[in-house]
Amino acid sequence: MTDAGDGRQFAISFSSEEPYDRYFGPEILDHGPGAVDLTRLQEIGCVLFNHDRDYVVGKVITAEVSGNRGEAVIEFDKDDAAERIYQKVCSGTLRGVSVGYRVDTWEEVSAGHTSADGRFTGPCSIARKWVPFEVSIVSMPADATVGVGREMDVGHPAPRSYPLSLAQRRLMVNKNILEVHDG
């Protein structure tokens, strides 16, 4: 945990380019130049607990993209609800961070193909233009490479193999059904 100020401010990372398996397949949040519009987060960014819009625990002081990661300094409020989460962050019980966002532009990359900029290999869906709305302290983060005190680049994990897509699973089921009936 990195205290960035008066004891209620913390430096965090809130997003990365780590692929996340969604129902439609792996999703990657692009952090290249011009990909992330931080305007809203910088102007009115709130810190929530578990993405609950009614559970505001603080505010975003600064936000930037550095080293292909979204980084911020957040500050916890001093009310009872915020104090509860603040204490759990201080004790190390809560370290996970997540970001709420909207994607404006996607790039779909087919299996075995490379993205337009040559940085990613499919299958994947790349959020090429996206807008973060809020940062949340969470109990179960989607991206385990970001969080409180993880504002530094932690390196890139080994490539993962992804499970079959829904379409690929359906093809396998249909193929197996045909083999059973023809066999």
Side-chain angles (χ1 to χ4, degrees), residues 1-4 9-16 31 62-74 95 97 144-155:
M1 167 172 32
T2 305
D3 180 6
Q9 291 186 2
F10 294 91
I12 64 166
S13 59
F14 61 84
S15 62
S16 76
H31 286 72
T62 64
E64 66 179 4
V65 172
S66 177
N68 294 327
R69 302 171 72 74
E71 298 178 353
V73 173
I74 62 169
R95 294 177 294 195
V97 173
T145 71
V146 299
V148 177
R150 293 185 179 190
E151 70 281 2
M152 305 70 82
D153 185 5
V154 294

Side-chain angles (χ1 to χ4, degrees), residues 127-144:
R128 287 298 187 183
K129 299 280 185 190
W130 60 283
V131 180
F133 290 142
E134 51 85 6
V135 174
S136 282
I137 302 296
V138 295
S139 50
M140 298 295 294
D143 183 349

Side-chain angles (χ1 to χ4, degrees), residues 100-165:
Y101 58 93
R102 177 189 77 226
V103 177
D104 294 328
T105 305
W106 289 99
E107 179 185 354
E108 300 295 331
V109 182
S110 300
H113 290 88
T114 303
S115 63
D117 63 4
R119 295 174 52 220
F120 307 105
T121 302
C124 62
S125 298
I126 305 166
R128 287 298 187 183
K129 299 280 185 190
W130 60 283
V131 180
F133 290 142
E134 51 85 6
V135 174
S136 282
I137 302 296
V138 295
S139 50
M140 298 295 294
D143 183 349
T145 71
V146 299
V148 177
R150 293 185 179 190
E151 70 281 2
M152 305 70 82
D153 185 5
V154 294
H156 298 286
R160 298 177 0 190
S161 61
Y162 293 98
L164 295 176
S165 72

